[in-house]
Amino acid sequence: MSTPQIPTPLVKIENLTVRFRGAQTVHAVNGVSLTLEPGKVLGILGESGSGKSVTLKTLLRLLPESRTDIGGKVSVDGRDVLALNPQDLADYRGAVTSMIFQDPALALDPVYTVGEQIAEAIVRHEKTSMKAAMARALELLELVRIPSPARRLKAYPHEMSGGMRQRAMIALALAARPKLLLADEPTTALDATVQIQILLLLRQLQRDLDMGMLFVTHDIGVAVEVSDRLAVMYAGQIVETGTVRELIRDPQHPYTKGLLAANLHGAKKGERLEAIPGAPPALTEPPDACSFAPRCKFVQDRCRAALPPAVQLGEGRVVRCILAEQALVAAA
Amino acid sequence: MTLETHPDRGGAGTPLLQAKTLTKHFPLGGGAVVRAVDGVDFAVMKGETLGVVGESGCGKSTTARVVMQLLPQDKGEMLFDGEIVGGQALTLKEYRRQAQMVFQDSYASLNPRLTIEDSIAFGPTVHGVSKAAAILKARDLLQRVGLDPARFAARYPHELSGGQRQRVNIARALALGPRLVILDEAVSALDKSVEAQVLNLLADLREEFGLTYIFISHDLNVVRFISDRVMVMYLGEVVEIGPVEELYGDPRHPYTKALLSAMPSMDPDNRTMEAPLAGDPPNPINPPEGCRFHPRCPHAQTVCAKVKPILATMGDGVRQAACHMQVPGSGHSHAPALEAAA
Ligand SMILES: Nc1ncnc2c1ncn2[C@@H]1O[C@H](COP(=O)(O)OP(=O)(O)OP(=O)(O)O)[C@@H](O)[C@H]1O
Ligand SMILES: Nc1ncnc2c1ncn2[C@@H]1O[C@H](COP(=O)(O)OP(=O)(O)O)[C@@H](O)[C@H]1O
Ligand code: SF4
Ligand code: SF4
Ligand SMILES: [Mg+2]
Ligand SMILES: [Mg+2]
């Protein structure tokens, strides 16, 4: 054991494309590649419709298969996710990868108690009695710091407050000890004082349980609180990745720069906001140029002629913009 | 006919709007009552923007709907430029021309069967403006909110993006030439990049038309950017009011302090280590006795559970907070000494 091992990534997505067929074809994800190391948190930041949720759902194969075309490779913990057969998929969901949502109603069934649902999820994956599963469900409610957990075990979701339901959903997601937690805007609907509680809880659970986490949000501040690294999405592509520090202190892509300016953090009255003009594109065609070009103040002819290159600026630091390439050439 | 503009009656020193002990309760049946707005006092000066913040259910929208008189209050009254709203000198119909509201859901507030120019022209025609004049005005307003009338006037709401629809809603609110515009989460559904455009627009329109805003939002960064003064609500009551930078820089009410420190930090080297409050905000059905914040307040003492703190004016006269720690002789050990107040 003398040669240092390069850790195998927990998640490796290569050139993922997702297209929905229908009256209007939607090119939701257009060549996404990303990796996540075990036990790390990658924040995926983007505006509504940029393809964040679709990317996460692909990792659990939750998209409607009959009218969805998926291309590329998705591997999680060594499994080829897109190739899993129904039995392997059932074993994989929950036990390797599980997911929490903005709306807990998507995860919690209104007709069963919280305890029943968590215990059922445990029994589905582990050979254990219902009684032992209930005992572990209680531990899980303690882990997510639900007050009076023994009583809450017997409560129905509608009997809980918003923040408590969010905690119950997290407990359910952790039931089968996943290695990867997918979080899709889990705090977006919460009040400020509850949001920070849930963010701190997720940060701690992720660390204590050594889980990898992909955390999707449109809120930069939220992403900074939980993430090690960030990926910024625009029109179904990742336009910039790096550590949280790199992205916040030294954003390179014009869209990332615009988003940071528009976040208004510390903006004072009377200042003019540097707004990005226009709106994101409709995704009816696959991109054949920089998708941000119609809104970019640095746009050049080349940006409209071909897809900009994914420029590698350093280990895990990638910017999809010709300016980054030109800067690199100039520096060389 | 066009709508004449509204003269300033009371002068610059008279608030544009004064709300006095506004109260709105919703009976739920079985004797339970939601005390959505419970004795709220505030004033909005001419040309200023009053930001309103607080957690879900604290009564922001109900306050807005009562101020708009979309809901009648149970108690209290409002003065608009010194006149009682709904009184002899200022009828409700006349008031409604001068106060307009923009909501969060840009889609639900527009009639899907009307083109956007017809939507904007609708209000003025109801108030007796000819259709032709109202359409001219609508096109002018579209131009001013940044939508080229040649491209957009004949479109229907579903043919617009969320940001464009919200611009239409703003144009529609301005069609009657209001003096007061209430914006209830008006930019909250927009993406960040589009939100910044609409905020710039709101700042421009405020200058251009001499508007006064009440700006309700859960986003504390946005409120800081747009407001002159900020009002913080908790469980149907006002807990603090003050100039924006003073309130953000030195919050006087423990709830304001907690709300501000719950904001994500934005600094990767200085992430939040501890949540300022535990649990969820309680609901306004059975609010706690005394100070409504006392079950969650880190500074609560015996007096807090018994006596409701008044909204006390502090030092320089521009700040108010409803906390026993700010009131000399309140019985709270952190209250200023009585002599110091004299
Ligand atoms: N028509 C109604 N009947 C019964 N209760 C109501 C009604 N309208 C509002 N409420 C209640 O009154 C309280 C205050 O509601 P309000 O809509 O003013 O809150 P808010 O501060 O605007 O919240 P949010 O941030 O979620 O918009 C809430 O508890 C709400 O459920
Ligand atoms: N099941 C679906 N069928 C058709 N289009 C979809 C479906 N799910 C998502 N989309 C579209 O894919 C694009 C990306 O969606 P999504 O990933 O949900 O965005 P977000 O970044 O807001 O999470 C959007 O245009 C959305 O309307
Ligand atoms: S590739 Fe061109 S258009 Fe795209 S972000 Fe870079 S400079 Fe702007
Ligand atoms: S009055 Fe008492 S309980 Fe209320 S905020 Fe002040 S110190 Fe806290
Ligand atoms: Mg989404
Ligand atoms: Mg509201």
Side-chain angles (χ1 to χ4, degrees):
Chain A
M1 295 284 278
S2 55
T3 46
Q5 296 257 303
I6 301 163
T8 13
L10 176 62
V11 180
K12 192 164 168 62
I13 298 180
E14 288 168 272
N15 202 20
L16 177 70
T17 56
V18 180
R19 187 178 61 183
F20 297 105
R21 272 176 281 112
Q24 184 77 274
T25 301
V26 179
H27 295 262
V29 176
N30 300 301
V32 159
S33 298
L34 62 82
T35 56
L36 176 71
E37 308 302 333
K40 295 285 185 198
V41 184
L42 175 70
I44 302 179
L45 188 64
E47 295 180 285
S48 112
S50 59
K52 308 180 297 292
S53 299
V54 170
T55 303
L56 284 200
K57 285 180 185 160
T58 309
L59 284 161
L60 271 176
R61 295 255 306 267
L62 292 175
L63 298 170
E65 308 228 321
S66 59
R67 43 184 205 87
T68 311
D69 297 326
I70 303 181
K73 277 191 76 176
V74 175
S75 99
V76 176
D77 195 35
R79 290 166 179 78
D80 180 352
V81 173
L82 299 180
L84 292 176
N85 66 37
Q87 180 56 52
D88 291 343
L89 185 60
D91 291 342
Y92 164 82
R93 286 184 179 153
V96 179
T97 302
S98 79
M99 185 151 169
I100 57 176
F101 305 87
Q102 174 174 336
D103 180 1
L106 288 175
L108 295 171
D109 191 325
V111 301
Y112 296 100
T113 66
V114 165
E116 285 163 350
Q117 296 183 54
I118 298 174
E120 203 271 329
I122 294 169
V123 172
R124 204 183 310 145
H125 291 283
E126 293 169 25
K127 287 200 187 63
T128 176
S129 70
M130 200 59 189
K131 185 151 177 275
M134 267 299 181
R136 212 174 102 67
L138 180 63
E139 283 172 28
L140 281 162
L141 291 191
E142 282 164 4
L143 188 69
V144 298
R145 290 195 233 110
I146 287 186
S148 330
R151 189 156 56 84
R152 296 293 169 188
L153 212 50
K154 300 189 191 79
Y156 291 90
H158 73 266
E159 297 171 320
M160 302 177 131
S161 67
M164 206 132 44
R165 267 200 296 273
Q166 217 67 10
R167 289 173 194 269
M169 176 177 62
I170 295 170
L172 178 63
L174 301 180
R177 309 173 207 267
K179 294 178 179 166
L180 173 64
L181 184 64
L182 307 176
D184 193 355
E185 312 238 12
T187 64
T188 300
L190 300 175
D191 274 314
T193 62
V194 183
Q195 161 166 291
I196 195 74
Q197 296 171 32
I198 301 292
L199 290 178
L200 296 185
L201 174 70
L202 282 171
R203 211 162 79 190
Q204 190 188 353
L205 290 173
Q206 176 271 326
R207 220 179 281 151
D208 292 354
L209 306 176
D210 201 26
M211 278 183 304
M213 178 155 80
L214 289 177
F215 191 104
V216 157
T217 177
H218 67 274
D219 185 324
I220 302 178
V222 165
V224 171
E225 286 287 2
V226 297
S227 313
D228 300 305
R229 311 174 47 74
L230 290 179
V232 179
M233 274 191 93
Y234 187 77
Q237 293 185 319
I238 293 179
V239 296
E240 181 161 4
T241 57
T243 63
V244 174
R245 244 173 237 106
E246 286 164 343
L247 273 263
I248 297 298
R249 303 256 160 83
D250 186 25
Q252 293 294 317
H253 195 282
Y255 176 65
T256 316
K257 289 183 187 174
L259 262 194
L260 279 167
N263 174 57
L264 290 184
H265 183 78
K268 299 243 172 76
K269 187 164 156 47
E271 288 168 7
R272 199 141 185 95
L273 297 174
E274 213 188 297
I276 306 174
L283 299 169
T284 48
E285 303 288 335
D288 53 9
C290 175
S291 300
F292 191 58
R295 308 175 74 187
C296 180
K297 63 178 173 189
F298 306 107
V299 63
Q300 307 171 11
D301 288 344
R302 274 183 59 204
C303 310
R304 297 199 183 93
L307 283 176
V311 183
Q312 178 114 23
L313 298 180
E315 176 69 33
R317 181 97 175 94
V318 179
V319 180
R320 201 181 267 275
C321 170
I322 62 160
L323 295 180
E325 187 184 51
Q326 286 161 359
L328 213 59
V329 171
Chain B
M1 183 198 141
T2 54
L3 293 166
E4 72 279 19
T5 48
H6 309 280
D8 185 348
R9 289 193 244 205
T14 307
L16 184 61
L17 182 84
Q18 244 178 307
K20 296 183 174 173
T21 55
L22 279 192
T23 302
K24 182 75 204 174
H25 293 175
F26 297 104
L28 287 182
V33 173
V34 182
R35 302 162 79 102
V37 175
D38 217 14
V40 160
D41 279 286
F42 63 91
V44 193
M45 301 309 289
K46 288 171 186 159
E48 82 166 348
T49 297
L50 178 72
V52 182
V53 300
E55 289 171 292
S56 177
C58 70
K60 304 181 296 294
S61 297
T62 306
T63 303
R65 281 152 69 207
V66 171
V67 167
M68 280 302 299
Q69 290 290 289
L70 300 173
L71 283 174
Q73 66 267 38
D74 299 331
K75 256 204 299 208
E77 64 172 11
M78 289 185 304
L79 301 182
F80 189 82
D81 203 0
E83 315 275 11
I84 292 177
V85 171
Q88 300 254 300
L90 183 63
T91 61
L92 268 187
K93 180 167 184 206
E94 184 50 32
Y95 171 70
R96 289 209 170 104
R97 266 184 58 198
Q98 303 196 40
Q100 288 291 316
M101 185 151 166
V102 178
F103 298 90
Q104 164 168 5
D105 188 341
S106 63
Y107 210 76
S109 17
L110 288 172
N111 184 336
R113 285 183 298 275
L114 291 186
T115 62
I116 61 174
E117 70 176 353
D118 284 341
S119 268
I120 298 168
F122 183 76
T125 54
V126 168
H127 281 267
V129 177
S130 75
K131 178 82 194 248
I135 290 285
L136 267 182
K137 174 83 178 165
R139 293 197 183 148
D140 176 48
L141 283 166
L142 279 173
Q143 189 80 56
R144 302 223 198 172
V145 298
L147 297 175
D148 176 8
R151 281 176 60 207
F152 289 98
R155 290 202 195 174
Y156 289 89
H158 72 267
E159 298 172 312
L160 302 179
S161 72
Q164 289 167 343
R165 270 198 302 270
Q166 207 54 311
R167 288 170 189 267
V168 173
N169 276 314
I170 292 167
R172 197 181 51 157
L174 298 183
L176 289 168
R179 298 170 75 189
L180 175 68
V181 180
I182 303 178
L183 300 134
D184 187 358
E185 303 281 3
V187 297
S188 304
L190 304 177
D191 276 322
K192 277 287 156 201
S193 68
V194 177
E195 178 188 80
Q197 299 166 15
V198 176
L199 287 171
N200 279 338
L201 171 68
L202 288 172
D204 292 345
L205 295 172
R206 182 176 53 196
E207 293 302 309
E208 190 178 344
F209 294 99
L211 299 172
T212 300
Y213 291 152
I214 296 179
F215 189 95
I216 299 171
S217 175
H218 68 279
D219 185 328
L220 297 161
N221 284 326
V222 171
V223 167
R224 182 176 200 168
F225 168 75
I226 195 104
S227 308
D228 298 289
R229 290 190 308 129
V230 174
M231 168 162 112
V232 185
M233 293 184 70
Y234 187 78
L235 279 184
E237 297 180 334
V238 175
V239 297
E240 181 160 2
I241 307 184
V244 60
E245 285 309 314
E246 292 176 42
L247 187 138
Y248 275 64
D250 174 25
R252 296 291 173 82
H253 194 285
Y255 176 66
T256 312
K257 200 171 281 182
L259 199 58
L260 291 171
S261 53
M263 290 166 77
S265 88
M266 279 300 285
D267 178 357
D269 295 317
N270 236 324
R271 303 206 294 192
T272 308
M273 295 319 290
E274 207 181 336
L277 294 177
D280 293 71
N283 75 43
I285 295 178
N286 273 314
E289 292 291 310
C291 172
R292 291 191 177 172
F293 188 55
H294 86 258
R296 305 173 83 196
C297 180
H299 308 288
Q301 296 183 356
T302 327
V303 58
C304 303
K306 290 189 185 140
V307 183
K308 180 197 275 301
I310 55 158
L311 185 63
T313 302
M314 293 169 305
D316 43 16
V318 295
R319 302 193 58 178
Q320 290 173 294
C323 170
H324 289 308
M325 292 196 292
Q326 301 295 337
V327 181
S330 65
H332 195 290
S333 67
H334 296 336
L338 270 172
E339 308 79 60

